[in-house]
């Protein structure tokens, strides 16, 4: 195992407490700390002895990735592991499937859209399925709720301008409802959202103000005048207990609201936004990739695979995620492909055939594909990303 130094992304929506607390630093942190990245993404690669992991892998891809991963994914670690900590809501977004990503990337290249341009929708040719497991209580929007439920919520606002949206939802036309909201004239959006907020008292409330009424007010506070506030009413609103996960396959509109979680995803940056953001929203392309069908079961419970070891099944081969919780004992796993380990609490020693690393809160290590069985010992909680 090779110890990693991991960097933090200071996005404005990040927490001032969670990552600092995990790492044992003073709280609150000086600025927002949104994501701790563990992996070899070229934008923010972890370091091995001051050398970016992406370069370490490139120097010996066969040894570190293994023949199978190298053949399937090329010279890259195919997943990225993160500790995500949200103090305010993130943008509504969806990700393309593998074919859509490849086609979109090629089409923008052919059209001469500069790579790195703010209005570019595809920054690589890869898909980006995601699994997030709650570390603290975690609030999120994930996938469309049944259209009839959305029609009732939007209609309850009593905003006359929204009647066409209610009509589309009443006949199950989610595409038209989303198109109408995201194409609302820019000059009239703030007034529409203000009307919705003023009428939000007509919406159902939830525990501790967490229902649709609280959702509208929360999002309007974070993103005043953004029609994503209304699009959010079309989505499943869930609150995860620690250990519960949400699986976001391609084409599902989603957004994270509050809380901390461990996220693993295919190593891609392809994001099509649908509101709650000052960034570019490509409405036609978003409508092309979205799946306009209800996501009935977005929440995934942990599946025990051994004493103290859980996983969450996902239907992709880009990654697997395990959680190992120890109370002075040991656990053994024999994962496929290259593996990354992130410790969130306690002190855990992670060993494989190439060596060992003792990890405490916020520390991580990388292991080569051919290093054999992994042994975890100590007291604490770690997450393992692998294939």
């Amino acid at each position: 195992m090779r110890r990693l130094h991991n960097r933090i992304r200071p996005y404005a929506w990040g927490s001032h407490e969670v990552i600092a607390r995990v790492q044992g630093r003073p709280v609150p942190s000086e600025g927002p700390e949104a994501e701790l990245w563990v992996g070899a993404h070229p934008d923010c690669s972890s370091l091995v002895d001051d050398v970016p992991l992406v370069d370490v892998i490139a120097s010996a891809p066969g040894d570190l990735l293994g023949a199978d991963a190298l053949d399937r994914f090329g010279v890259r670690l195919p997943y990225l592991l993160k500790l995500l900590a949200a103090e305010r809501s993130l943008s509504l977004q969806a990700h393309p499937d593998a074919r859509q990503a490849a086609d979109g990337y090629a089409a923008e290249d052919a059209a001469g859209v500069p790579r790195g341009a703010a209005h570019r929708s595809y920054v690589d040719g890869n898909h980006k399925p995601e699994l997030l497991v709650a570390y603290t209580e975690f609030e999120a929007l994930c996938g469309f709720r049944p259209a009839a439920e959305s029609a009732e919520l939007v209609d309850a606002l009593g905003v006359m301008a929204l009647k066409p949206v209610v009509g589309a939802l009443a006949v199950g036309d989610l595409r038209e409802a989303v198109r109408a909201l995201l194409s609302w004239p820019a000059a009239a959006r703030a007034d529409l959202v203000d009307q919705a907020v003023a009428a939000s008292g007509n919406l159902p409330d939830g525990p501790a103000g967490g229902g649709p009424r609280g959702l509208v007010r929360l999002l309007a506070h974070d993103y005043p005048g953004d029609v994503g506030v209304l699009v959010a009413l079309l989505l499943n609103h869930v609150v995860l207990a620690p250990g519960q996960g949400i699986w976001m396959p391609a084409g599902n509109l989603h957004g994270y609201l509050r809380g901390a979680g461990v996220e693993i995803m295919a190593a891609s940056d392809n994001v099509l936004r649908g509101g709650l953001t000052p960034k570019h929203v490509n409405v036609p392309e978003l409508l092309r990739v979205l799946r306009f069908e209800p996501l009935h079961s977005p929440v995934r419970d942990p599946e025990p695979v051994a004493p103290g070891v859980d996983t969450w099944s996902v239907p992709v081969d880009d990654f697997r995620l395990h959680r190992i919780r120890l109370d002075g004992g040991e656990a053994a796993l024999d994962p496929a492909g290259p593996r990354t380990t992130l410790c969130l609490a306690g002190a855990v020693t992670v060993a494989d055939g190439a060596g060992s690393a003792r990890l405490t809160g916020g520390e991580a290590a990388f292991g080569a594909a051919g290093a054999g069985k992994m042994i975890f010992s100590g007291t604490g909680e770690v997450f393992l990303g692998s294939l």
Side-chain angles (χ1 to χ4, degrees), residues 247-327:
W247 160 243
M248 285 293 101
N252 279 276
L253 194 61
H254 63 282
Y256 299 148
L257 302 179
R258 297 289 190 276
V262 174
E263 188 177 33
I264 190 167
M265 63 190 66
S268 167
D269 278 337
N270 284 323
V271 176
L272 291 159
R273 294 176 178 84
L276 306 181
T277 178
K279 295 183 179 180
H280 176 61
V281 176
N282 184 339
V283 175
E285 191 62 20
L286 178 65
L287 295 176
R288 189 179 77 85
V289 305
L290 282 180
R291 297 174 60 180
F292 291 101
E293 56 193 43
L295 184 63
H296 293 292
S297 301
V299 178
R300 301 266 174 126
D301 290 320
E303 304 167 20
V305 296
V309 181
D310 298 311
T311 193
W312 297 261
S313 296
V314 293
V316 295
D317 62 359
D318 302 73
F319 55 78
R320 291 291 180 271
L321 184 67
H322 288 85
R323 178 183 61 183
I324 302 97
R325 291 181 292 181
L326 301 168
D327 188 13

Side-chain angles (χ1 to χ4, degrees), residues 165-222:
V165 176
V166 175
L169 292 169
V171 297
D173 194 345
L174 279 165
R175 175 186 290 273
E176 175 54 25
V178 173
R179 187 209 64 77
L181 288 171
L182 294 184
S183 302
W184 211 270
R189 289 178 185 175
D191 181 61
L192 179 70
V193 175
D194 287 347
Q195 290 183 58
V197 173
S200 61
N202 298 330
L203 294 173
D205 203 1
R213 184 188 308 171
L215 177 66
V216 165
R217 294 172 179 174
L218 170 75
L219 297 180
H221 175 269
D222 288 351

Side-chain angles (χ1 to χ4, degrees), residues 26-331:
V27 172
S29 58
E30 184 175 341
E33 298 180 340
E35 296 178 347
L36 177 71
W37 285 24
V38 182
H41 195 288
D43 282 353
C44 190
S45 178
S46 299
L47 304 176
V48 179
D49 295 330
D50 296 326
V51 179
L53 179 59
V54 63
D55 295 335
V56 173
I57 289 173
S59 69
D63 293 338
L64 298 179
L65 299 177
D68 181 60
L70 191 59
D71 180 62
R72 285 190 289 151
F73 303 107
V75 184
R76 65 187 185 96
L77 188 64
Y79 61 85
L80 176 64
L81 187 65
K82 299 179 180 179
L83 173 59
L84 179 149
E87 198 166 282
R88 56 181 289 221
S89 43
L90 285 67
S91 63
L92 297 178
Q93 56 189 263
H95 309 297
D97 63 26
R99 174 59 64 85
Q100 291 166 337
D103 290 349
Y105 185 62
E108 288 192 325
D109 272 354
V113 181
R115 295 181 182 180
H119 62 286
R120 186 169 176 124
S121 297
Y122 295 93
V123 297
D124 55 59
N126 303 315
H127 67 164
K128 192 185 178 186
E130 299 176 343
L131 170 70
L132 181 136
V133 174
Y135 179 60
T136 66
E137 183 176 271
F138 196 91
E139 188 177 0
L141 301 167
C142 45
F144 289 113
R145 66 168 85 230
E149 294 180 13
S150 299
E152 290 182 7
L153 290 175
V154 178
D155 192 38
L157 291 170
V159 176
M160 288 302 298
L162 289 172
K163 289 298 182 183
V165 176
V166 175
L169 292 169
V171 297
D173 194 345
L174 279 165
R175 175 186 290 273
E176 175 54 25
V178 173
R179 187 209 64 77
L181 288 171
L182 294 184
S183 302
W184 211 270
R189 289 178 185 175
D191 181 61
L192 179 70
V193 175
D194 287 347
Q195 290 183 58
V197 173
S200 61
N202 298 330
L203 294 173
D205 203 1
R213 184 188 308 171
L215 177 66
V216 165
R217 294 172 179 174
L218 170 75
L219 297 180
H221 175 269
D222 288 351
Y223 297 95
D226 193 310
V227 292
V229 172
L230 295 170
V231 176
L233 290 176
L234 313 187
L235 305 177
N236 294 303
H237 183 195
V238 302
V239 179
L240 305 177
Q244 288 187 308
I246 44 176
W247 160 243
M248 285 293 101
N252 279 276
L253 194 61
H254 63 282
Y256 299 148
L257 302 179
R258 297 289 190 276
V262 174
E263 188 177 33
I264 190 167
M265 63 190 66
S268 167
D269 278 337
N270 284 323
V271 176
L272 291 159
R273 294 176 178 84
L276 306 181
T277 178
K279 295 183 179 180
H280 176 61
V281 176
N282 184 339
V283 175
E285 191 62 20
L286 178 65
L287 295 176
R288 189 179 77 85
V289 305
L290 282 180
R291 297 174 60 180
F292 291 101
E293 56 193 43
L295 184 63
H296 293 292
S297 301
V299 178
R300 301 266 174 126
D301 290 320
E303 304 167 20
V305 296
V309 181
D310 298 311
T311 193
W312 297 261
S313 296
V314 293
V316 295
D317 62 359
D318 302 73
F319 55 78
R320 291 291 180 271
L321 184 67
H322 288 85
R323 178 183 61 183
I324 302 97
R325 291 181 292 181
L326 301 168
D327 188 13
E330 286 190 353

